[in-house]
Amino acid sequence: MTRIVLHDYFRSSASYRVRIALNLKGLSYEQHHVSLAKGEQKDAAYTDINPQGFVPMLEWDELRLTQSLAIFDFLDAQVKEPPFVPSDPEGRAHVLALALTIACDIHPLNNLRVLKYLKTELGQEQAAVDGWYRHWVEEGLAALEALAAPKAGRFLYGDQLSMADICLVPQLYNGRRFDVPMDAYPTLLSAEASALALPAFKAAHPDAQEVQS
């Protein structure tokens, strides 16, 4: 039997994505909590196995996999159902573009290490840091709404659940933590509601994790 270990943090968007993905594929896994709040991602014991010092990292027997979208791709190759991207080239490209809008354009500007740097190294007040967060999230979500709306259905791409939805749900969760208004994104909210009704998403939610610190 394959041994699967997820190194994660309960509120990490990227870790939340991978928990959803593992649940959707019906895979059982161990969790190793890495507290970003306590800086455990920088401990030598962790950087020895993950030099980048980020979460998530997925151990699959002897493999050590990083970067959430790369992990999605690996899981899709291992377990065919449900697929995380459509089989047709146009649909695949569209879903990847939606997912990357979140994973590459919104999330990196607002993850914890950036926010800490703004406050500690650049001396910004908390109000300015929060304003930075909201600005980039609002700009990114507005673009995502416009990109997704023409082809959305129950989910961001028609009625087919995809990696775009897996990326969306954690981003909206964290956006709300910083009081980002959501009323301007009806397409995103509709897809989120459909996704959150699924057991795989409910079990992956930060509030459902045993360790929350």
Side-chain angles (χ1 to χ4, degrees), residues 34 53 60 71 99 110 113-114 120 162 171 186:
V34 180
W60 184 281
I71 293 171
N110 296 296
R113 65 187 184 124
V114 171
T120 60
S162 72
Q171 184 59 67

Side-chain angles (χ1 to χ4, degrees), residues 74-132:
F74 177 84
L75 294 177
D76 249 357
Q78 300 296 321
V79 181
K80 300 301 183 183
E81 296 294 332
F84 292 153
V85 292
S87 57
D88 63 293
E90 180 181 351
R92 178 184 176 88
H94 181 67
V95 164
L96 286 170
L98 297 179
L100 290 167
T101 297
I102 299 168
C104 295
D105 294 338
I106 302 175
H107 177 240
L109 286 167
N110 296 296
N111 64 21
L112 186 60
R113 65 187 184 124
V114 171
L115 301 182
K116 282 186 173 180
Y117 188 83
L118 287 169
K119 189 170 184 178
T120 60
E121 300 299 324
L122 299 184
Q124 297 299 308
E125 298 293 333
Q126 188 62 49
V129 174
D130 292 347
W132 165 281

Side-chain angles (χ1 to χ4, degrees), residues 2-208:
T2 302
R3 179 174 180 264
I4 305 172
V5 180
L6 176 63
H7 299 259
D8 77 338
Y9 179 63
F10 78 112
R11 268 198 317 235
S12 156
S13 291
S15 296
Y16 188 176
R17 294 172 201 157
V18 174
R19 293 195 300 267
I20 294 168
L22 289 166
N23 293 344
L24 285 168
K25 294 293 189 181
L27 294 167
S28 298
Y29 58 96
E30 304 171 33
Q31 282 179 278
H32 177 252
H33 184 72
V34 180
S35 176
L36 302 187
K38 298 174 183 176
E40 291 176 354
Q41 74 277 17
K42 297 178 182 178
D43 291 349
Y46 187 63
T47 57
D48 283 349
I49 60 173
N50 181 5
Q52 198 173 21
F54 291 170
V55 291
M57 181 181 74
L58 187 71
E59 293 189 72
W60 184 281
D61 286 337
E62 302 304 315
L63 294 175
R64 289 170 179 161
L65 307 167
T66 60
Q67 297 294 335
S68 59
L69 269 64
I71 293 171
F72 295 167
D73 185 67
F74 177 84
L75 294 177
D76 249 357
Q78 300 296 321
V79 181
K80 300 301 183 183
E81 296 294 332
F84 292 153
V85 292
S87 57
D88 63 293
E90 180 181 351
R92 178 184 176 88
H94 181 67
V95 164
L96 286 170
L98 297 179
L100 290 167
T101 297
I102 299 168
C104 295
D105 294 338
I106 302 175
H107 177 240
L109 286 167
N110 296 296
N111 64 21
L112 186 60
R113 65 187 184 124
V114 171
L115 301 182
K116 282 186 173 180
Y117 188 83
L118 287 169
K119 189 170 184 178
T120 60
E121 300 299 324
L122 299 184
Q124 297 299 308
E125 298 293 333
Q126 188 62 49
V129 174
D130 292 347
W132 165 281
Y133 186 102
R134 285 191 292 270
H135 170 80
W136 295 114
V137 171
E138 289 171 1
E139 182 176 282
L141 292 182
L144 186 66
E145 173 76 19
L147 290 167
K151 296 184 179 181
R154 184 182 172 204
F155 298 106
L156 288 182
Y157 182 63
D159 293 332
Q160 180 177 351
L161 180 69
S162 72
M163 70 165 62
D165 304 288
I166 298 172
C167 290
L168 174 69
V169 167
Q171 184 59 67
L172 294 186
Y173 166 81
N174 275 322
R176 290 188 181 95
R177 289 181 54 231
F178 286 82
D179 298 321
V180 175
M182 296 292 173
D183 292 346
Y185 319 118
T187 303
L188 308 186
L189 294 178
S190 177
E192 178 196 37
S194 295
L196 286 175
L198 302 176
F201 283 79
K202 292 178 180 178
H205 193 282
D207 291 348

